[in-house]
Amino acid sequence: LSLSFSRVQFTPDLMPADVTGTTVVVETDDASGRRKREFQFRAGPIFAQMLLADEINRATPKTQSALLEAMAERSVTVGNETHQLPKPFLVMATQNPIEQEGTYPLPEAQLDRFFFKLIVGSPSRAELSEILNRTTGEAEAAVQATLDPAKVLEYQALIRKVPIAPSIQDYAVRLVVATTPPPLNLRGQSFSTPMIGQYVRLGASPRAAQAIVLAAKCRALIESRVHVSIDDLKAVALPALRH
């Protein structure tokens, strides 16, 4: 995609400033040759168009919270100054699902800011064979860019223009409202089942509805259609609601 890329290995001793950056004191010479000190902001790895947070659940919730403003407002505030992040901006994260020691739960507010949660299972026999073909042979894959940042932004704007019928959008709304236990349902309108009331503490947020609709619009374009269908919503509901 020709995007600037940063990878951060999340560890228990990682601090928020290690991700966002910090303000440092720098000595410089003025016009008269006298030394002076001034504060300069040194940007952290989050100032990239694509950020990979590897094993994000190994960092403390305090460090994880450094991503909240960036993922919601596309900006980073250090001290009294707010710095805008480059466009487009995307955060991808991995979790260590096996080891429990040295890991921390992700705050709900952070989980809510992720568009999808995808579960990568064990490879099948054929997939494992293909992995070996690609990683143990002599040939090296030639990677070529197919898009640039301007084209990505253009496609993002195009996706938002895909029409969705009111009845189809209402289906997405009911999907999200149905995840909320009956006492907390929107204005007393209950679409949830007794199982939701028994096992679910908090339902999906408005961001979940946004993710479902945007992902459904994207799928419609991928399928060469200019309108959203119920099947589009059903196809994207699980990864959008899973977290």
Side-chain angles (χ1 to χ4, degrees):
L1 299 178
S2 299
L3 302 176
S4 58
F5 175 79
S6 289
R7 176 187 180 277
V8 179
Q9 183 66 51
F10 276 56
T11 57
D13 60 347
L14 190 73
M15 299 299 292
D18 297 329
V19 178
T20 61
T22 187
T23 301
V24 297
V25 178
V26 178
E27 288 190 354
T28 59
D29 292 328
D30 59 17
S32 61
R34 286 184 292 184
R35 303 286 291 176
K36 66 175 183 178
R37 294 180 179 180
E38 60 183 11
F39 291 101
Q40 289 186 3
F41 175 69
R42 297 289 175 87
I46 201 172
F47 284 86
Q49 292 167 314
M50 181 177 290
L51 172 69
L52 172 60
D54 197 21
E55 292 190 313
I56 191 173
N57 58 331
R58 285 197 175 279
T60 62
K62 177 181 179 180
T63 300
Q64 294 175 22
S65 66
L67 298 173
L68 295 182
E69 180 187 359
M71 296 176 70
E73 281 82 35
R74 303 297 190 267
S75 63
V76 171
T77 301
V78 177
N80 296 324
E81 190 172 356
T82 298
H83 307 270
Q84 297 300 317
L85 292 169
K87 296 181 180 181
F89 176 73
L90 172 70
V91 175
M92 299 178 63
T94 64
Q95 288 192 77
N96 190 319
I98 299 175
E99 300 176 34
Q100 300 299 320
E101 186 175 352
T103 61
Y104 301 86
L106 270 66
E108 285 81 355
Q110 181 182 351
L111 285 172
D112 197 31
R113 283 162 167 77
F114 282 101
F115 194 77
F116 272 179
K117 180 179 181 180
L118 304 176
I119 296 178
V120 182
S122 300
S124 65
R125 180 179 177 181
E127 291 168 341
L128 183 55
S129 179
E130 182 62 24
I131 289 174
L132 294 178
N133 292 337
R134 297 188 184 191
T135 58
T136 63
E138 295 182 2
E140 292 187 5
V143 180
Q144 295 181 344
T146 58
L147 292 176
D148 55 35
K151 205 67 177 178
V152 173
L153 293 173
E154 182 180 336
Y155 282 137
Q156 287 181 342
L158 178 63
I159 288 170
R160 291 180 176 271
K161 295 179 181 179
V162 175
I164 179 171
S167 59
I168 304 295
Q169 180 167 296
D170 184 63
Y171 182 81
V173 172
R174 286 185 283 124
L175 277 176
V176 173
V177 174
T179 66
T180 304
L184 302 176
N185 270 141
L186 182 64
R187 298 176 186 247
Q189 298 179 5
S190 178
F191 297 99
S192 60
T193 64
M195 184 179 293
I196 293 293
Q198 184 175 358
Y199 294 108
V200 176
R201 180 170 59 91
L202 293 173
S205 73
R207 282 195 181 98
Q210 293 171 341
I212 290 175
V213 171
L214 285 175
K217 289 184 175 184
C218 184
R219 185 178 186 272
L221 286 183
I222 292 175
E223 299 290 333
S224 301
R225 287 181 283 102
V226 293
H227 62 86
V228 177
S229 69
I230 292 289
D231 290 337
D232 293 325
L233 297 176
K234 291 180 178 180
V236 303
L238 184 56
L241 291 172
R242 180 179 282 130
H243 52 297

